[in-house]
Every structure is written in C-alpha cells, then in structure tokens.
Amino acid sequence: MSTSPQFGLNTPQREAVKYMEGPCLVLAGAGSGKTRVITQKIAHLIEDCGYESKHIAALTFTNKAAAEMQERIAKLLKEPKQAKHLTVSTFHSLGVKILRQEAKELGLKDRFSIMDSDDCFSLVQDLAVTTDKQLIRRIQGKMSLWKNGLIDPDDALKNAVDEDDAQAARIYRNYVATLSSYQAVDFDDLIRLPVELFRGNDAVRDKWQRRLRYLLVDEYQDTNTCQYELVKLLVTGVGKKPMFTAVGDDDQAIYAWRGATIENLKTLQVDFPDLKVIKLEQNYRSTTRILQAANAVIANNPKLFEKSLWSEHGLGDPIKVLAMPDDEQEADQVAIMLSAHRFERRAKFSDYAILYRGNHQARVFEKALRRERIPYVMSGGQSFFDRAEIKDIISYLRLIANGDDDPAFIRAVTTPKRGVGQSTLEALGAYAGQWQCSLFEAVFKGGLESKLADRQLTPLREFCTFINQLEARASRVGAAGSGENAAAVLDDMMKEINYEAYLYDTFDDRQAQSKWQNVLDFTTWLKEKGTGGKDGTDPEKSLLELTQMVALMSMLEGRDEEPDAVRMSTLHASKGLEFPHVFLVGVEEGILPHKGDPDAPVETLGARIEEERRLMYVGITRAQRSLHITWCKKRKRARENVHCDVSRFIKEMKLDEGDAVPTEEETITPQNRLANLKALLQKPKAA
C-alpha cells in the first residue's frame, strides 16, 4: 500500500492521507511535510481507492511547486506513467485549461491572448491618459484586487470611497471592455472567468465536476476570494459529497496585499460543516530553539486553530540577536560573520540566506558581499520570460495565435524594423478605430490605401501575409498527417525575421551574443515541449498550444543548476524555502513590522501587525540549524541618519539567557577578524 509505514508518515500525516469521508483541512505547520501528505494522498487515491488519475487535480501557486509535486508522485506510483494524466498545476494553469475548452461559452475565440503585465500597463496608460507610472500601477493594483474579489466595474464604482477610487473604477470598466474587444484576458481573468462561467452555466460546471472528482489544494491560506469560489464550485453540487483536501497554515498567511484572505479558513468551516481538521505539528526542518522562538512570536496573534511546532532535531545553537550602529556596518558585519561561520562549519555558500523585509535593503548587502568576495544570487530577479529578446519572439507567437492581439502586433511589426514607423501605426490605429477592428484586420480593409502611401502599406501587408501563412501551419502537428510540427514552423519563422542579425546590428557583440543565446535556449526548449519533452512522455503540441502554455510560464524549466552562492531574498519570496543558516536583517520598528499607513483605522493597523508577525514567523522558520538576527540603532534615510527602535517581535521571541544578545561593541570587526579566523583554524571540524 502507498501509505504503509516504510513511506515515513507520522500518525497525523497518515490520518490525513487516508481520510476519505468528505472535506478535509490539513493544518500543516512550517516544515511539517505537507507536500509529502499531498503526494502520498494522490498515490493512495489511485492505488488504494480506485480513482483514475485523470479525475484528480492538485492545485498550487507556482509552476515550480507543481512540477516538483508531479515528479514526486510519479516516483510513488507503481505505474509512473499514470502521473502524466493528473492535473497538477497552478490555479491559473487550470483556468487556462477551462477557458481554452469552454471559450465559446464565454464569447472568446479558442485562440484568445493572455496579456502580460507590460501589455496591461500600456493599456491602462492609454485609458488613464497619463504617464505617471506610480498612478498606473496603483490603478492596476486596484483592478486586480477587484477582479480577485469578484467585484465588477459597476460595483467598484458604486462602492468608491473617493474620486480616485471612482476614476479607477471608470478606467476598470473601459479596461474590461477593451480586453473583450481584443479577444484577450489578463492574469486575473484566468480564474475570474471560469468562476463566472460555472456560476451561470450548470451544464458546464457539472461536466468539470465529473472530470475532476477529487481536488487537493496546496497553500490554501494564500487563496483569494476568486480562487476559493472556484474550488467551491468544483466540489459542491446537488446530491454531491464534497471531496477535497485543503492543506495550509494560518500562521503563514502573508499575502493579504495581493488579495489573499485568511477569512477563507474561517469560511471553509461554515461552508463545509462536516470539515475534518487534522494538524501537522512535528517539524522536520528546524532545531528546538528556533521553533520555540517561532511559537512564542506567533502566539501573540489571535488563533483560528491552536497548534505548536515541535522537533526531534535537538536544542540546537543559540539564536543570536545583534544590535548594529547603522545599516552599512550591519551589512559589513553580516558579510564577515557569514564568512567566518562558513569557515568554521566547513559549509557551502548555498547553505546561507540573508532575508530582509524589502528589496530596498538589498543594495548595501550586495556591496558588502562583493567586497568580501562572497558569491550570491537574488530571489525574485528578472524572469527569463521578462527579457526583451524573449518577449520579442513571444510577440510573434501571440500574434499567430490571435490576430486581434494589438499589443503583440505592434511589438512584432516593429521588431526587427521593417519600415513601419510611428506615423504608420498612428494612421493604422485611427483606421482600425473607425472600423472597430484589430490593427491586423485593418491592414486588409479596403480604403486603407487612401490613408497610407505604398511605401507604408506594402511592408504592413507583407508582414501580415507572413503571419497568416504561419498561422495556417501553426495549429497542425505531425500526428495530423501533414508532417507539420512546432519545430518546423518555429525554424521558418526565425529564419524569415532574421532576429540574430537584428541583435548584432542593434547591440555590441557581447550583448548580442548573450541575447541570441537566450533566444536559442528558448526556441530549443519550445521544440522539446512541442515534441513531448526530452523523454517524449507528454503529448505532442502544436505551436498554438505552446504559445498559450508560454503565456503562463514565469521561468524556463531546468535552465541551470543552483549555484553555490548565498541566497538574498525578501521574506515574501523566501516562503517555501529552507536553509541551514539564516541571517534575518533589519528587524526594526518601521521595517519589520513595516510602518504602513499611520492614519489607517485601528482595526486595519491591528490586521497589518498580525500579518507582519506572520512574516516574522516565516523568516524564523526558514532556518534549519542557526539563526542570526540583526537590527540597527540608526539607519540612513534620504541622506540623514534616523534613530531606529528594535522590533517588538524580538522581545516576543522570549529568548532565554543562553541566546546571546551582544551589543555592537562585541561584534566582529574588520580589525580582529584575522585573529578570529586564525583561532578557528585551531578548532576541530564541527560535527
């Protein structure tokens, strides 16, 4: 049996895996083996309960988590091939799957475009008639929260609290209408539209309920209103017993700012009165001292469910809290301490992480690490798919998939340059507006000759004819009998646009070579996906299918192995990760907890402090063996040194006398570092 003791499950984990009487909530504390529970439960469903893998869906929040989960499930199954029939994906990937198959029900073409954040930014910029980037991002943020909260433009306008809100709601209305006219959706629509569809179409909803008969939801505390509604619509129906397992931790709910709501945990108990709650409290990651500090901090928050982490890893090293004179010395000391600690432990650089509340704190630490010649990598850096050269190639793919995708048309027709300038595009845009059609369609409208000279019109029509030819081939795959496949279409496209020559004409040789290598990596990866991957286990995909898949990807799979380098990361980006040794820096009032809006209502301030406390809890529980915490007495802000107070969270950790709390006079200085390192040479190697 897949749940037999040799799989290493403890008693609560085994109970969570085997429970099949109805809805189940697994409260999985940090490092308590939640992924093991999900993967083992899927194996149990298939091998012990008779579920077909095609009827099981596991939803998580990142492509990486989904890929790792699928890989682990395949290793558990007696027949690993069954794993490929599972739906193991992000919420958004499932949304795309639903929208692709039910597009007609929503008035969409099956080749709808998925607008990326840059496209949406440009659209909001046009609708708001402003170049104020901060204002545009604020409007984008409000619209995203409205969509995730299932609030339509009319309700947003009705509930506006001031003129700024009202203006954003009016832009929201035009934004929704414009996306519809483009036959396009944005990232939030990928979940919102399936919810609206299921709410209004019982037949479609019933079809998907029969298709997905058991649902597992990872990181449930991070769901927003829209995601929870999608889950509810998939598992509830007349005469249907809700069959799902939600796995989450109310103590790690740190994404309220992007629409996630801890209320979903409360609502779950109301909507499903027979909900079975199982707690996972044994931590497999950290030492007892670290867990005691984490438990002490989070105990100051009101609790939905009482739980307390414990570990069999022993007491462990004392937690060190160090007061620093200022932020520059904080960075220098952390770099020195990390170097000495690594030398003493004979550890790797990749065993260490420096965690901070905001990205603005990173720069001074980067300088210090470079000075000490310590290699580092940044979490949350630029996505591979955000690189300009990759977005250029993707714009062609998007246009092939959907001729109504105006942002993709503009980018593709002007990159590389082919004699289509701004004046040509402005005239074409005015003509498309007159006919209420896309730019691509307007190119072939009669009468455009009176608006554009031959030298302007000819390159436009040549380009659109080229796209039409590719589109005719792009929906075919080799298995269809034509011998056509994604690789052949892609190769012909790249040859025709001569993108390599464009790079070398535009950039210096070194930049061009780097960018061209990225493009080659991308197209090679696409071809592998088109033919079913390196092992050929996935079904062959057409170029159109690949295009919609790419629209969801945030990083290229399997590009590089993790380097031996210190990880620098915000606390938000560190969630889900773990490191033997952690430096948690800048733990001061105003930073952690973040100062927020001082004029906010008392209840809002209270909720913010609770979330910041959960963020502190996440930071502490990233550490496996050692934890150093630093704060500054002064910090430079706008060229002035500002007095800082130690964070309330440090006091809440209730560190005992064994946990040293030295002052800055007792910390390592550059002058005595050499002596310390020499002393370390005399020490035996740590166990």
Side-chain angles (χ1 to χ4, degrees):
M1 283 180 63
S2 57
T3 55
S4 56
Q6 64 262 31
F7 281 85
L9 297 175
N10 62 35
T11 300
Q13 288 173 332
R14 192 174 296 111
E15 182 185 10
V17 166
K18 290 190 173 183
Y19 185 78
M20 293 297 299
E21 302 304 312
C24 179
L25 172 62
V26 180
L27 285 169
S32 63
K34 67 181 178 65
T35 305
R36 186 187 308 166
V37 167
I38 294 172
T39 54
Q40 290 272 11
K41 184 145 197 172
I42 291 172
H44 176 62
L45 287 165
I46 295 170
E47 298 191 341
D48 303 333
C49 301
Y51 276 80
E52 292 185 61
S53 55
K54 66 181 180 181
H55 293 316
I56 301 170
L59 301 179
T60 186
F61 281 83
T62 67
N63 292 310
K64 182 181 178 183
E68 288 175 354
M69 197 177 288
Q70 185 125 22
E71 187 178 328
R72 288 173 68 166
I73 294 164
K75 290 177 180 177
L76 287 173
L77 295 173
K78 293 171 185 173
E79 294 183 30
K81 286 185 179 180
Q82 288 180 300
K84 73 176 184 178
H85 300 297
L86 292 163
T87 298
V88 182
S89 71
T90 64
F91 275 91
H92 294 91
S93 294
L94 176 62
V96 166
K97 191 174 183 178
I98 294 169
L99 291 181
R100 188 183 293 141
Q101 295 183 33
E102 310 297 344
K104 288 181 182 177
E105 300 289 345
L106 286 159
L108 286 170
K109 295 191 300 189
D110 59 0
R111 296 177 183 178
F112 62 85
S113 296
I114 301 171
M115 304 271 279
D116 67 20
S117 58
D118 284 352
D119 294 332
C120 294
F121 183 93
S122 299
L123 180 53
V124 174
Q125 185 175 36
D126 291 341
L127 294 172
V129 195
T130 181
T131 56
D132 185 337
K133 291 184 177 181
Q134 287 190 333
L135 174 60
I136 294 166
R137 290 194 182 97
R138 280 200 301 273
I139 294 170
Q140 276 188 290
K142 284 183 179 180
M143 293 194 304
S144 179
L145 289 174
W146 282 329
K147 285 191 174 187
N148 289 328
L150 294 171
I151 299 168
D152 64 27
D154 289 340
D155 286 336
L157 187 56
K158 192 187 306 178
N159 299 327
V161 296
D162 54 32
E163 180 53 32
D164 287 346
D165 257 12
Q167 178 65 10
R170 287 189 283 269
I171 291 168
Y172 179 30
R173 178 186 289 154
N174 293 333
Y175 174 83
V176 170
T178 304
L179 282 185
S180 179
S181 69
Y182 281 180
Q183 284 285 300
V185 299
D186 65 16
F187 202 56
D188 298 317
D189 288 331
L190 299 179
I191 303 169
R192 181 184 68 86
L193 290 176
V195 166
E196 290 187 359
L197 175 63
F198 290 163
R199 280 178 167 180
N201 192 318
D202 290 341
V204 173
R205 176 183 174 186
D206 183 63
K207 179 173 76 175
W208 281 90
Q209 285 187 348
R210 282 184 277 111
R211 184 175 298 180
L212 304 178
R213 296 179 183 174
Y214 200 97
L215 200 62
L216 300 101
V217 184
D218 190 18
E219 303 287 6
Y220 176 76
Q221 78 282 347
D222 293 338
T223 55
N224 58 40
T225 300
C226 198
Q227 287 161 337
Y228 174 53
E229 189 66 15
L230 180 63
V231 169
K232 197 163 64 169
L233 288 165
L234 283 169
V235 301
T236 56
V238 178
K240 173 182 169 63
K241 179 188 281 190
M243 296 300 289
F244 69 88
T245 296
V247 181
D249 182 7
D250 51 324
D251 291 334
Q252 295 187 76
I254 59 172
Y255 291 113
W257 53 276
R258 68 181 189 195
T261 172
I262 199 169
E263 292 298 314
N264 284 348
L265 280 163
K266 296 178 185 175
T267 308
L268 201 63
Q269 294 175 294
V270 176
D271 290 340
F272 302 95
D274 57 344
L275 181 73
K276 174 75 169 178
V277 179
I278 299 170
K279 300 177 186 178
L280 305 184
E281 297 174 288
Q282 182 176 358
N283 175 285
Y284 292 92
R285 175 187 300 162
S286 307
T287 61
T288 297
R289 270 199 175 106
I290 290 168
L291 296 181
Q292 286 173 341
N295 288 333
V297 167
I298 206 64
N300 291 276
N301 272 3
K303 306 291 281 185
L304 284 176
F305 305 94
E306 287 294 336
K307 70 177 187 302
S308 182
L309 297 179
W310 59 276
S311 166
E312 294 181 341
H313 285 314
L315 194 59
D317 293 350
I319 295 172
K320 302 292 184 183
V321 178
L322 300 106
M324 301 293 181
D326 57 46
D327 45 350
E328 288 193 1
Q329 290 193 56
E330 177 186 39
D332 289 342
Q333 296 291 347
V334 166
I336 293 167
M337 287 189 296
L338 189 153
S339 181
H341 193 276
R342 171 182 167 272
F343 184 83
E344 179 184 5
R345 301 297 178 100
R346 309 294 195 266
K348 297 181 294 184
F349 284 116
S350 57
D351 290 336
Y352 292 83
I354 299 173
L355 307 182
Y356 36 82
R357 176 61 177 83
N359 279 312
H360 67 279
Q361 295 169 258
R363 187 178 62 83
V364 66
F365 285 94
E366 286 190 82
K367 288 169 63 178
L369 293 176
R370 284 198 295 266
R371 209 160 34 239
E372 295 296 318
R373 298 183 180 179
I374 297 173
Y376 65 90
V377 292
M378 306 281 291
S379 282
Q382 185 186 38
S383 161
F384 185 79
F385 286 119
D386 283 340
R387 297 176 190 273
E389 61 271 22
I390 304 303
K391 295 186 88 164
D392 287 343
I393 305 306
I394 289 174
S395 69
Y396 282 85
L397 302 180
R398 284 171 48 190
L399 190 59
I400 291 167
N402 177 11
D404 294 331
D405 190 338
D406 282 353
F409 176 90
I410 292 168
R411 186 165 194 141
V413 79
T414 56
T415 313
K417 297 187 183 304
R418 48 176 55 83
V420 177
Q422 190 61 37
S423 60
T424 301
L425 287 174
E426 286 176 3
L428 180 63
Y431 196 66
Q434 180 184 330
W435 283 94
Q436 290 295 295
C437 65
S438 68
L439 296 174
F440 190 95
E441 187 180 345
V443 170
F444 293 109
K445 285 279 186 188
L448 185 58
E449 293 84 354
S450 65
K451 307 291 182 183
L452 293 172
D454 283 348
R455 62 181 174 77
Q456 293 173 294
L457 188 55
T458 299
L460 279 176
R461 288 190 168 160
E462 286 177 350
F463 171 76
C464 290
T465 300
F466 164 61
I467 295 296
N468 276 334
Q469 291 169 347
L470 290 175
E471 188 274 337
R473 301 167 58 193
S475 58
R476 309 173 193 156
V477 294
S482 67
E484 200 72 273
N485 59 45
V489 181
L490 196 58
D491 283 342
D492 287 350
M493 184 189 88
M494 295 303 298
K495 182 178 178 182
E496 181 67 26
I497 67 176
N498 202 12
Y499 191 77
E500 182 181 12
Y502 157 74
L503 289 175
Y504 279 94
D505 287 343
T506 309
F507 302 97
D508 64 49
D509 285 358
R510 186 173 178 180
Q511 283 181 296
Q513 184 178 8
S514 174
K515 288 175 177 289
W516 180 240
Q517 186 58 53
N518 287 335
V519 171
L520 291 177
D521 289 349
F522 174 59
T523 54
T524 300
W525 175 81
L526 270 183
K527 291 174 191 176
E528 287 176 357
K529 288 290 182 184
T531 55
K534 290 179 180 178
D535 56 4
T537 54
D538 293 331
E540 192 171 353
K541 293 181 177 67
S542 70
L543 194 60
L544 292 181
E545 291 172 321
L546 289 175
T547 300
Q548 288 190 322
M549 178 192 72
V550 164
L552 287 178
M553 297 297 291
S554 59
M555 60 183 289
L556 196 58
E557 296 173 3
R559 278 183 53 76
D560 296 306
E561 292 184 4
E562 286 291 318
D564 182 23
V566 173
R567 177 71 65 94
M568 291 182 62
S569 174
T570 64
L571 287 165
H572 283 100
S574 73
K575 188 164 169 288
L577 304 176
E578 57 187 49
F579 307 91
H581 311 291
V582 167
F583 286 82
L584 182 52
V585 301
V587 186
E588 301 145 28
E589 290 293 312
I591 294 181
L592 185 64
H594 191 260
K595 61 183 176 181
D597 180 3
D599 298 323
V602 173
E603 59 272 17
T604 304
L605 289 172
R608 178 179 61 77
I609 293 297
E610 288 170 16
E611 177 147 334
E612 292 290 305
R613 187 174 284 116
R614 292 193 289 270
L615 200 55
M616 179 73 176
Y617 174 85
V618 166
I620 294 170
T621 55
R622 297 315 91 196
Q624 296 171 307
R625 296 291 171 265
S626 76
L627 176 63
H628 289 76
I629 296 175
T630 63
W631 66 280
C632 297
K633 295 188 172 184
K634 288 187 294 185
R635 186 171 291 275
K636 193 171 288 184
R637 289 182 187 147
R639 298 183 181 179
E640 289 185 9
N641 283 320
V642 178
H643 171 78
C644 303
D645 293 317
V646 63
S647 170
R648 70 193 74 183
F649 300 150
I650 290 179
K651 183 178 180 181
E652 291 176 359
M653 291 169 71
K654 295 183 177 177
L655 301 177
D656 58 35
E657 293 180 1
D659 295 327
V661 188
T663 63
E664 64 270 20
E665 286 79 22
E666 295 170 313
T667 60
I668 303 171
T669 64
Q671 288 74 23
N672 65 22
R673 179 176 48 151
L674 183 59
N676 284 352
L677 289 175
K678 286 180 178 178
L680 289 172
L681 282 171
Q682 311 304 318
K683 290 188 177 183
K685 184 177 178 180

